Amino acid sequence: MRWNRRKVLGGMAASGAAVAVPGLPATSTPSPHPQRLWYRQPAAQWVEALPVGNGRIGAMVHGGIAREVLPLNEDTLYAGGPYDSVNPRAAASLAEVRRLIFEQRYAEADALVDRDLMAVPLKQAPYQAIGTLVIDHLGLNEAEAHDYERSLDLDSAVAETRFAVGRQRFRRRVIASPVDQVIAVEIDASRARSLSLRLSFTSPHADWRVVAEGSDTLVLSGRNGAHDRIAGALGFEARLQVITQGGTLASDGDGLAVRHADKVVLLLAMATSYRRFDDVSGDPAAANRAVLAAASALPFATLLSRSTDEHRRLFRRVSVDLGTTPAAALPTDQRIARSQQVDDPALAALYFDYARYLLIASSRPGSQPANLQGVWAEGLDPPWGCKYTININTQMNYWPAQRLALPECVEPLERMLRELAVTGERTARTMYGARGWVAHHNTDLWRATAPIDGAKWGMWPTGGAWLCTHLWEHYLFQQDNAWLASVYPVMRGAALFFLDTLQVDPASGHLVTNPSLSPENTHGHGSALIHGPAMDMQILRDLFGQVAQAAAILGTDAELATQFTAARARLLPDRIGAQGQLQEWPYDWDALAEEPHHRHVSHLYGLYPSHQISLDDTPDLAAAARRSLDLRGDQATGWATAWRINLWARLRDGERAHAILRFLLGPERTYPNMFDAHPPFQIDGNFGGAAGIAELLVQEDDAAVTLLPALPRAWPTGALRGVRLRGGVRLDVTWADGELVEARLSGGTGANQQIRLREGSVEVLVAPDRPVTLRLGDFT
């Protein structure tokens, strides 16, 4: 293949402003555009590396000098194989567990749940790395390197490393193409015949091998390991094809050697034999060969433009400007390190844009949903298995998707729900003797749905129900009745399960879940097990109401919808305790909890993400929620800090929310590469933080859209453009000196919108051919 060297080197010189070095062409300096992470040194650890991904495959770019390493992930590589984890003793012991809980004999209930109701195996399968691509620059003296910079451009989705050694300049660019399904690396230099490389793979798996196919292809292949007693069932492969301009290319034992090339392009395809949670008959080698045959026919410039165009199709829908200060000119790691002492509103905007980048890069149609680390993870047993924790974390991953105009990114979550409805039907039937389907607090690639880990964590039956509220939210934003009809059976099945399993609380006569818990929190009586925790009741009020509305829209299940509505009315209501707090449990036990500052604020689901509690409609409950937040504290783990931002935004306390956001952006909760620190890394905090920034600037419920509901003083002037409202309406809003300048609404399905600004309100008709512009005077 022929390459136009003149264009390549011209692009290198033109992309940055000049830094004078005698006898050398100009090197890059920090880009002035705000959507860029950049650093003056290579990554020293994984959480300093920069992520690229196309939804299905990903890499972490370390930006090394003499050695570059790219840890690799493919989103279907988990341990084990298809399995059913329901404990065969569960059904026979369920009634006794319920009785013990109602009688407050929690220690006995714990022991029985652990023995008879927990899944077999007790843990679910972990997500796993596929391996690492190693790029060694032969003969490069790293000690002589200077003018170093590495960066990630969020707008183009390109990770770039630049440095000089003596008078020689080098550049690497890395992309993960969603169009051509490859990770592509371009390596070039300022002098001809100066690239000599050795390319190799490593893998953490026990069963792996590397072979060279000819002089230009290197193949890493193997099988996944067992998960507990479940044998590994997946074959995997990473296939590297090398294209050079000039020089020589040859196999070198278990690697490939490039000598004296002008330029090198690496094309990497990855796949496993996974086809569905119950089908592992795929052929990863055939899939990779087909991908590389197509991608290798295109020059890197074409691969780059196709990848960037597709990324920008989603990324450029939304923009945010929160103001800037001189701190924005610093490298990203320095900005994070100084964020608690220096005013840097543009860092919040960068965090917002980074979350959008990460969602696009880890959740695209056809991929798996974003897991606890998106699509990027180290080793064979990353933190918490890097799977799907569905008692908050997976849900938080998708909080920003609709508002930030990324509905396509929800498709993997929708598909997972359709699959959970299959595996969860078996769990509902064999464990509970119920219709419908159920998923507890975790799931994995194999769509396991039984309770795991132990009674304190796993005996929570409401994970699938909460996920179903995302289906309803997707409908509200798109209002596509055909799509609603396609997912209605999933929603209906989730509601049917609770229609069959809700119990009558002997003390109050209300319907409650039992057994259950308030996620991961113990109530001070030696257990987490309880009946009717507040979060369950709030989730089920949403689920029953949404399924009944869906049935009415679709003109179906009228009798069943009546049953859902009746059950909803009988659910245990929210209660206010003696401290003025919203009760987490049916008893006033919040003051007795073992962890008074617990990271989960599950009982505040009704405030956010739900709309059951609000300052306008339920002021007493809103005040109780505020009291609960005060008691729980502002600083928590990364994702829990992000949740608190959203909750305070709903309470219209912009200053409190912004103070918590500032903590989130600091070095305790944000790694140098801007990954959220639980710690360790969990991506949900990135997504929850972005949702919180949006929530400070625009809120929407069944009654109205509220503009600038919790605008903090730190952002006196700014703009948010391209966000979506229900019905597909686009909103652009600008403000100055803390006051609205203009709000423009356009598109949508042609419906009336109630728009609020502080105490003022105006109703407008928004249609595709009828945009509406509102200014401050329209609300007075």
Side-chain angles (χ1 to χ4, degrees), residues 5 187-189 191-195 245-247 260-264:
R5 179 174 172 78
I187 307 170
D188 57 17
R191 286 185 181 175
R193 298 177 56 79
S194 60
L195 290 175
Q245 176 185 315
H260 308 301
D262 298 335
K263 174 178 172 181
V264 178

Side-chain angles (χ1 to χ4, degrees), residues 261-345:
D262 298 335
K263 174 178 172 181
V264 178
V265 170
L266 312 179
L267 302 179
L268 180 64
M270 293 182 279
T272 77
S273 60
Y274 180 88
R275 298 182 67 185
R276 205 177 84 132
F277 66 89
D278 54 0
D279 184 350
V280 292
S281 64
D283 185 342
N288 287 340
R289 287 191 183 100
V291 165
L292 289 178
S296 63
L298 302 171
F300 181 82
T302 301
L303 295 172
L304 174 62
S305 65
R306 285 156 61 103
S307 176
T308 295
D309 288 349
E310 169 54 23
H311 173 74
R312 285 174 172 164
R313 181 180 68 85
L314 303 179
F315 187 78
R316 287 190 169 181
R317 289 174 180 170
V318 169
S319 66
V320 67
D321 177 2
L322 302 176
T324 191
T325 67
L330 294 172
T332 305
D333 51 343
Q334 294 183 30
R335 295 174 70 183
I336 294 167
R338 301 180 186 190
S339 63
Q340 306 306 286
Q341 294 80 38
V342 176
D343 186 26
D344 189 0

Side-chain angles (χ1 to χ4, degrees), residues 151-208:
S151 63
L152 176 64
D153 188 321
L154 304 180
D155 179 58
S156 64
V158 177
E160 182 172 86
T161 304
R162 293 168 173 259
F163 57 89
V165 177
R167 294 177 173 272
Q168 174 79 326
R169 299 202 176 279
F170 297 89
R171 177 180 70 175
R172 289 191 298 268
R173 291 190 290 179
V174 185
I175 61 171
S177 172
V179 179
D180 296 293
Q181 289 299 308
V182 292
I183 290 174
V185 184
E186 180 196 55
I187 307 170
D188 57 17
S190 59
R191 286 185 181 175
R193 298 177 56 79
S194 60
L195 290 175
S196 291
L197 312 170
R198 189 175 190 276
L199 309 166
S200 59
F201 281 117
T202 64
S203 177
H205 291 269
D207 182 359
W208 68 283

Side-chain angles (χ1 to χ4, degrees), residues 357-442:
Y357 168 88
L358 292 174
L359 187 56
I360 294 167
S362 64
S363 184
R364 275 183 169 271
S367 78
Q368 295 298 306
N371 61 32
L372 278 174
Q373 294 185 195
V375 72
W376 306 276
E378 287 187 282
L380 301 182
D381 190 18
W384 303 283
C386 193
K387 46 192 187 297
Y388 301 99
T389 303
I390 58 174
N391 66 10
I392 173 61
N393 311 100
T394 301
Q395 288 87 344
M396 186 178 285
N397 284 359
Y398 290 91
W399 281 357
Q402 303 296 343
R403 178 73 68 228
L404 303 189
L406 295 174
E408 298 94 333
C409 295
V410 182
E411 188 275 341
L413 183 68
E414 172 201 331
R415 188 164 15 89
M416 183 171 80
L417 272 162
R418 294 179 189 271
E419 295 170 351
L420 287 173
V422 177
T423 58
E425 186 275 334
R426 186 169 60 236
T427 299
R429 183 180 67 253
T430 59
M431 183 174 175
Y432 291 92
R435 297 173 293 170
W437 67 275
V438 64
H440 292 80
H441 97 294
N442 252 271

Side-chain angles (χ1 to χ4, degrees), residues 424-501:
E425 186 275 334
R426 186 169 60 236
T427 299
R429 183 180 67 253
T430 59
M431 183 174 175
Y432 291 92
R435 297 173 293 170
W437 67 275
V438 64
H440 292 80
H441 97 294
N442 252 271
T443 191
D444 58 12
L445 180 76
W446 311 110
R447 304 312 185 232
T449 54
I452 67 161
D453 294 339
K456 176 180 177 179
W457 304 278
M459 197 61 255
W460 186 68
T462 327
W466 187 356
L467 286 173
C468 280
T469 66
H470 284 257
L471 298 177
W472 181 247
E473 182 184 35
H474 186 79
Y475 171 73
L476 291 177
F477 276 79
Q478 314 308 316
Q479 303 209 353
D480 180 343
N481 286 5
W483 179 86
L484 181 63
S486 75
V487 298
Y488 174 73
V490 177
M491 299 171 65
R492 177 184 186 272
L496 271 177
F497 170 80
F498 289 99
L499 205 60
D500 285 1
T501 58

